[in-house]
Amino acid sequence: MNAISASSMNSAATDIAATMEPIGRAAVDAARLLATSNAATRNAALHAAAHALRTNREAILAANRTDLEQARARDLSAALLDRLELDDKRIESMAAGVEEIAALADPLGVVTAEWTRPNGMRIQRVRVPLGVIGIIYESRPNVTADAGALCLKSGNAVILRGGSESANSSRAIHACLVDGLRSAGLPEAAIQIVPTTDRAAVGYMLGSMTDFIDVIVPRGGKSLVARVQQEARVPVIGHLEGVCHVYVDRDADLTMARDIVLNAKLRRTGVCGAAETLLVDRACVATHLTPVVQALLDAGCEVRGDETVRSIDARVKQATEEDWYAEYLDRIIAARVVDGVDAAAAHIAKYGSAHTESIVTGNAQTAERFLSTVDSAIVLHNASTQFADGGEFGMGAEIGISTDKFHARGPVGVEQLTSYKYVVRGSGQTRA
Amino acid sequence: MNAISASSMNSAATDIAATMEPIGRAAVDAARLLATSNAATRNAALHAAAHALRTNREAILAANRTDLEQARARDLSAALLDRLELDDKRIESMAAGVEEIAALADPLGVVTAEWTRPNGMRIQRVRVPLGVIGIIYESRPNVTADAGALCLKSGNAVILRGGSESANSSRAIHACLVDGLRSAGLPEAAIQIVPTTDRAAVGYMLGSMTDFIDVIVPRGGKSLVARVQQEARVPVIGHLEGVCHVYVDRDADLTMARDIVLNAKLRRTGVCGAAETLLVDRACVATHLTPVVQALLDAGCEVRGDETVRSIDARVKQATEEDWYAEYLDRIIAARVVDGVDAAAAHIAKYGSAHTESIVTGNAQTAERFLSTVDSAIVLHNASTQFADGGEFGMGAEIGISTDKFHARGPVGVEQLTSYKYVVRGSGQTRA
């Protein structure tokens, strides 16, 4: 590297630091105030933000049109344009989502355990916020509202860093959240958005803000999450993928098996809880395999099978080793025959992503064996994998489904965005 | 770098990989078996290990003598030799510690929450092991037994990497743990010890075993923990330091304040829960400051104070800015006057390490303000900071005190070495 490029890089790095450090410091200060704020104030800010989203609809749509024009000029894909585009319905849905988060129970101050020691000390474990959360996301501007609201509800300050394609939309939405904070008397730095679209800002958040950011949540595709997990020097809550399985056991009710498989695969194919692999017990190949596979084919789903599955219908394509690892997020399913519940569990352990798996069986003992041996965030008996969702679990809005085992596993809602502390009340105790 | 050194480095790296990868794979396989093992079997292994520690006492002491001779030959410090040395009492204490861990309640399979959805699905959140834990420690050979037993109790496989100074002692202790596993029919790879003292093995565990290790726990001094937190590509549970505070409020009972300050500072100065800074309310300088500070001085404690503290006794030395950040782990305390509980909390937020802080006051409202605004793992009212300990909390043996807010905070016992999964029982539910 010659001297000129080194110096220009240093100057760019200085610029990023000059932008990001004050954001970090302000977030830490805001987090300290939020930690002792009361739930009514935070909820008032959320309601005011929802109101601002509705009253500033035109401004948000105008900002969104600018983003869309630039995206079209750059020939971005139709799928991306769809994720990017806002309309009246999507804005109303954002506002309603913020109100739903306001309506959730306050996760803070909850005593999750308490006991008294023989020496009379009373110990409580009390839920507190994590502190400052960094959210790194891609083109969906609604994440600005969702993530901002979830962090505020849980008493955390948040630094939002959205994709450059949605920068104008996100800024307009962010302005509404700040309106809400201001009207409730909360610090505006409780919800900040990174003002630069320079990609170096992401690297700076991941690597150089350990003094300011307590946890990073990536929201987006596999490559974003992988980059974050690779580079982050702070803890990350993220899931890489959902390679979800449905295992149809010899004791499965055929109609139930067919309904669950069709729903798990086809209700929505683009969600992380969509089934990607069908496992069928060899003991019920004669009775269950053909009707289930044909129902999938008839519904327009491509089936990639092993030899046995291929033998039942000419429309079944040959599965390769790669198919067992695949997260299609499409109308495609891999299908194979396995020797009972233990073989199903072994297949899932080898090829799965520890997200969500379901067994269909009428045999309670077989079900319990599956539920205990399969080590995934969510294991279901006689229910569709598409229930993998914080809302469907009754946990309220979520920021994603974690496939990590550390801190948060499964749906990440407001409770998972908290930590705890031990509060000890004594009467002069000293240690012997 | 010339070709020869590059090639020899590559060959060393290959050697480490060749040693460590099979250990990682075996740990993952063992973890899978442990996850469905029952508590009685794991406890039987622990009891057998305790028995083996006692019956192999001579062999352990012989191995320890080899370590001690080598350490003396290398002129290692007296403090390190003391940490390294085993005797009959220390071996008995290790064995008894393993039995105490066996006696703890089983943390696995516990249902920590359950509810039924309107569609009839029954959801349970159930505790499961984390998987594979890597423990990196220094010269104390007893960590081999403690950490191995805690991980086994919580159903995790463990890869132990002790300091090179205690390698022979640790191997002899490890052999006893393996005896226990074998006699209970559990896989021997449930507790493995890294056979090489090559420091590159630590780097390999931290950076190249993300497919095998779920969490790393460093046990040792500040520099070890800092290195681990800097290099680790997997989650880390660790605490950097305990800069603990006692705040004596205007409404404190003087005798209680003196007793708590003396105990918090001097009961044991080398533990992370020892107080390092005394904060005294300006409103009680006339009544409380002199007796508390003089009691410390009379007990042989060096006091480094601000101007007001210096003015009361010529023995008080001048504190510098660095003293407010210091973890002395010695008979030294920093002392200053602050303007009430909010100023105390602000000092702690700026200089503290979020470990353990105590307020002494007879005023319940002031106490609650301190307990809610101070964001540390443990906050106490009218009790000594030396209670910062899993055993004193009634949580049983611990692997350390976490100052992180992510996953585990405060004492890290068997419960904190677990994750959870969601188990959903349905009757054919599909998602609309």
Side-chain angles (χ1 to χ4, degrees), chain A residues 287-361:
Chain A
T287 49
H288 290 53
L289 185 63
T290 303
V292 171
V293 168
Q294 285 184 340
L296 284 163
L297 290 164
D298 294 348
C301 183
E302 178 178 325
V303 178
R304 301 186 185 172
D306 66 4
E307 285 311 312
T308 312
V309 179
R310 283 186 69 204
S311 71
I312 62 164
D313 194 301
R315 293 173 290 176
V316 177
K317 298 189 176 162
Q318 174 74 52
T320 65
E321 180 73 3
E322 275 167 25
D323 283 300
W324 312 122
Y325 291 105
E327 185 188 32
Y328 301 115
L329 299 174
D330 203 350
R331 299 178 78 81
I332 307 171
I333 196 167
R336 85 188 299 177
V337 171
V338 293
D339 289 315
V341 64
D342 288 342
H347 176 100
I348 292 167
K350 178 168 181 190
Y351 297 103
S353 63
H355 191 293
T356 299
E357 337 291 343
S358 176
I359 180 174
V360 188
T361 185

Side-chain angles (χ1 to χ4, degrees), chain B residues 21-337:
Chain B
E21 273 221 30
I23 291 176
R25 287 185 199 286
V28 169
D29 289 343
R32 203 162 290 148
L33 288 170
L34 284 175
T36 53
S37 67
N38 65 55
T41 307
R42 293 194 304 279
N43 290 340
L46 291 171
H47 282 291
H51 181 72
L53 285 168
R54 291 192 180 103
T55 54
N56 291 287
R57 198 185 55 200
E58 286 308 327
I60 297 169
L61 289 174
N64 188 241
R65 277 191 297 272
T66 306
D67 284 336
L68 286 168
E69 278 158 25
Q70 292 175 358
R72 285 194 198 100
R74 287 166 58 206
D75 260 345
L76 296 180
S77 73
L80 189 140
L81 289 172
D82 176 61
R83 286 200 291 275
L84 183 53
E85 185 163 13
L86 294 175
D87 56 22
D88 285 1
K89 203 179 139 206
R90 284 185 173 179
I91 292 176
E92 173 51 33
S93 153
M94 252 194 290
V98 170
E99 286 169 338
E100 277 167 32
I101 291 168
L104 293 173
D106 181 17
L108 301 181
V110 176
V111 176
T112 57
E114 60 183 317
W115 63 96
T116 303
R117 295 294 299 153
N119 69 2
M121 289 192 319
R122 180 93 188 135
I123 301 182
Q124 291 184 322
R125 195 171 60 203
V126 183
R127 263 212 223 104
V128 300
L130 281 168
V132 177
I133 298 179
I135 313 264
I136 298 174
Y137 54 107
E138 296 180 323
S139 52
R140 287 184 201 276
N142 63 302
V143 175
T144 312
D146 292 356
L150 281 166
C151 290
L152 177 59
K153 178 77 190 188
S154 50
N156 296 289
V158 60
I159 300 173
L160 299 162
R161 208 302 184 168
S164 56
E165 316 80 34
S166 55
N168 293 290
S169 315
S170 290
R171 267 181 226 136
I173 294 165
H174 173 253
C176 299
L177 301 178
V178 171
D179 268 5
L181 291 167
R182 200 182 296 125
S183 80
L186 288 171
E188 295 183 19
I191 305 176
Q192 295 180 88
I193 192 160
V194 174
T196 169
T197 55
D198 187 338
R199 276 178 64 84
V202 173
Y204 195 85
M205 283 175 77
L206 296 175
S208 304
M209 292 185 78
T210 50
D211 288 347
F212 307 118
I213 297 180
D214 293 285
V215 57
I216 293 269
V217 183
R219 281 211 39 180
K222 215 185 289 190
S223 65
L224 171 71
V225 180
R227 179 191 171 188
V228 167
Q229 292 191 327
Q230 184 56 36
E231 290 184 27
R233 303 279 353 127
V234 290
V236 173
I237 301 180
H239 80 267
L240 279 170
E241 48 185 346
V243 181
C244 304
H245 298 73
V246 178
Y247 166 62
V248 176
D249 180 65
R250 65 194 68 180
D251 294 319
D253 176 88
L254 175 58
T255 305
M256 187 191 289
R258 190 161 41 194
D259 289 349
I260 286 177
V261 169
L262 287 177
N263 186 264
K265 177 68 250 183
L266 296 172
R267 174 188 158 272
R268 281 182 64 191
T269 55
V271 296
C272 58
E276 304 291 9
T277 303
L278 167 67
L279 303 172
V280 176
D281 190 351
R282 193 176 305 281
C284 65
V285 160
T287 49
H288 291 53
L289 185 63
T290 303
V292 170
V293 168
Q294 286 186 338
L296 284 163
L297 290 164
D298 293 348
C301 183
E302 178 177 324
V303 179
R304 301 186 185 172
D306 66 4
E307 286 311 312
T308 312
V309 179
R310 282 185 71 201
S311 71
I312 62 163
D313 195 301
R315 292 174 291 176
V316 176
K317 298 189 176 163
Q318 174 73 54
T320 65
E321 179 73 3
E322 276 168 24
D323 283 300
W324 313 121
Y325 292 105
E327 186 189 31
Y328 302 114
L329 300 174
D330 203 348
R331 299 176 79 81
I332 307 171
I333 196 165
R336 85 186 298 177
V337 170

Side-chain angles (χ1 to χ4, degrees), chain A residues 348-387:
Chain A
I348 292 167
K350 178 168 181 190
Y351 297 103
S353 63
H355 191 293
T356 299
E357 337 291 343
S358 176
I359 180 174
V360 188
T361 185
N363 183 317
Q365 211 179 325
T366 308
E368 292 310 314
R369 182 149 186 98
F370 183 90
L371 297 174
S372 68
T373 56
V374 173
D375 184 22
S376 295
I378 302 171
V379 286
L380 306 109
H381 173 213
N382 290 347
S384 168
T385 57
Q386 297 252 349
F387 285 112

